[in-house]
Amino acid sequence: MDHVRARITRDGIRIYEDADFAGMRAAGRIAAEILDAVAAMVMPGTTTAAIDDFITAEIKRHGVTSATIGYKGYRHASCISVNHVVCHGIPGAPIPMSKSETISRDLEKRRKDDALKDGDILNIDVTVIVDGWFGDTSRMYAAGTLSRMAERLITETYEATMRGIAAVKPGNTFGDIGHAIQSYVEGKGMSVVRDFCGHGLGRVFHAPPNVLHYGRPGSGPVLEEGMFFTIEPMVNLGRPETKVLADDWTAVTRDKSLSAQFEHSVGVTATGCEIFTASPAGKYFPTWG
Ligand code: MF3
Ligand code: CO
Ligand code: CO
């Protein structure tokens, strides 16, 4: 009898086979290539609708499928979350106004459309399905000149994400991942969003467990070789609370502070983990410059 590892843990987490890593690698690579290609488009004046159209075209060119079009009624190939949008920003929708734009009496300074402005930061999140396997990844981009505060937020969010990933190995727990992220972020005076989390994935988009980006060491399910999941912390410069706008998708920080996010899909190996969504071009961070 061949060795078969496939099973579901007591926490409902699927354990995949060695051969399944190839499927996730292929899906993750295409998602990452699309995020590499989109970098050249991000500049002041570009609309989020144009970015999403480009992503739709790239998905088609690769001969693969968008996981988000048709997902719970969502109709776009990406989520594009600008400035204080935490996640699930809708391409083509007017970009929510920042604090200064809201109070400005100068109508020219008020945002009315989906065009990027100088100094905007944005997360672009793409999920593709390749031969039935889901590749889910996001990273941060900047339009024009980056403020020092925004650069700090993005850099620390990237570092927090990689520290979470560094905690992935058999025998560690999901709480160890969350703790690595939370302790780093809070040590920098920033906050971790509690209202959204990472997730198991594989031949499905969202599966157990909820991957929390905060937690206590040793808490939560034990990591085992063959688990596939995302790590996708959202980090705010201000308070962690979020709210969802009337469109039922766009999540923003309640205090309108800037927010950043990175996301990788990973698989637990015998000694650590494989990042399925690593950038072939080496542009995961920074995407600019
Ligand atoms: N890609 C997102 C995630 O990281 C999910 C987006 S669902 C959508 O889980 F419908 F908003 F696109
Ligand atoms: Co995800
Ligand atoms: Co995603």
Side-chain angles (χ1 to χ4, degrees):
M1 193 39 196
D2 286 331
H3 164 75
V4 175
R5 189 165 62 211
R7 62 189 181 86
I8 308 278
T9 70
R10 62 169 74 227
D11 302 294
I13 305 168
R14 184 172 291 277
I15 307 296
Y16 286 93
E17 293 295 302
D18 285 342
D20 298 334
F21 279 72
M24 288 300 287
R25 206 171 286 143
R29 184 185 172 95
I30 290 175
E33 280 176 0
I34 293 169
L35 291 188
D36 284 346
V38 84
M41 279 188 88
V42 176
M43 61 185 83
T46 302
T47 63
T48 58
I51 293 171
D52 189 69
D53 287 346
F54 172 80
I55 291 168
T56 301
E58 283 289 288
I59 289 172
K60 192 172 173 173
R61 190 175 68 77
H62 281 280
V64 301
T65 307
S66 165
T68 58
I69 296 174
Y71 177 78
K72 294 187 177 172
Y74 196 77
R75 291 163 50 225
H76 311 274
S78 62
C79 296
I80 304 181
S81 304
V82 182
N83 295 336
H84 68 290
V85 178
V86 171
C87 63
H88 301 163
I90 301 173
I95 294 168
M97 279 195 281
S98 69
K99 243 187 259 171
S100 64
E101 287 164 342
T102 307
I103 60 175
S104 174
R105 283 189 300 257
D106 183 348
L107 288 180
E108 276 305 294
K109 291 214 179 82
R110 288 188 173 224
R111 209 188 275 267
K112 47 200 168 301
D113 58 20
D114 64 329
L116 297 173
K117 285 187 179 184
D118 187 51
D120 283 344
I121 61 166
L122 52 149
N123 174 280
I124 305 180
D125 190 338
V126 170
T127 310
V128 294
I129 312 171
V130 179
D131 295 330
W133 296 97
F134 286 69
D136 185 5
T137 183
S138 78
R139 52 179 102 150
M140 295 301 294
Y141 300 80
T145 333
L146 199 51
S147 75
R148 300 261 291 268
M149 281 306 278
E151 182 160 21
R152 217 182 121 239
L153 170 67
I154 294 171
T155 303
E156 303 301 12
T157 306
Y158 170 74
E159 180 63 25
T161 305
M162 298 320 284
R163 283 174 184 239
I165 291 172
V168 178
K169 64 172 184 197
N172 274 6
T173 69
F174 281 94
D176 292 329
I177 299 173
H179 178 74
I181 294 167
Q182 180 184 16
S183 59
Y184 183 78
V185 167
E186 292 180 353
K188 299 293 172 183
M190 302 176 188
S191 66
V192 175
V193 168
R194 311 289 203 272
D195 303 337
F196 299 92
C197 57
H199 49 93
L201 84 174
R203 269 195 276 253
V204 291
F205 197 171
H206 293 110
N210 287 332
V211 180
L212 306 183
H213 303 113
Y214 57 92
R216 284 174 293 105
S219 69
V222 176
L223 298 168
E224 292 183 46
E225 185 177 2
M227 289 180 175
F228 297 163
F229 54 88
T230 71
I231 297 180
E232 49 179 305
M234 287 137 274
V235 174
N236 301 345
L237 273 182
R239 292 191 52 83
E241 292 82 8
T242 71
K243 67 173 180 189
V244 175
L245 300 184
D247 60 27
D248 278 347
W249 283 105
T250 311
V252 299
T253 55
R254 278 193 177 269
D255 64 4
K256 291 205 175 191
S257 65
L258 282 185
S259 187
Q261 179 181 25
F262 285 86
E263 176 176 24
H264 270 314
S265 298
V266 306
V268 184
T269 64
T271 55
C273 79
E274 176 173 348
I275 301 177
F276 297 127
T277 44
S279 163
K283 279 158 79 87
Y284 191 70
F285 171 82
T287 54
W288 58 88

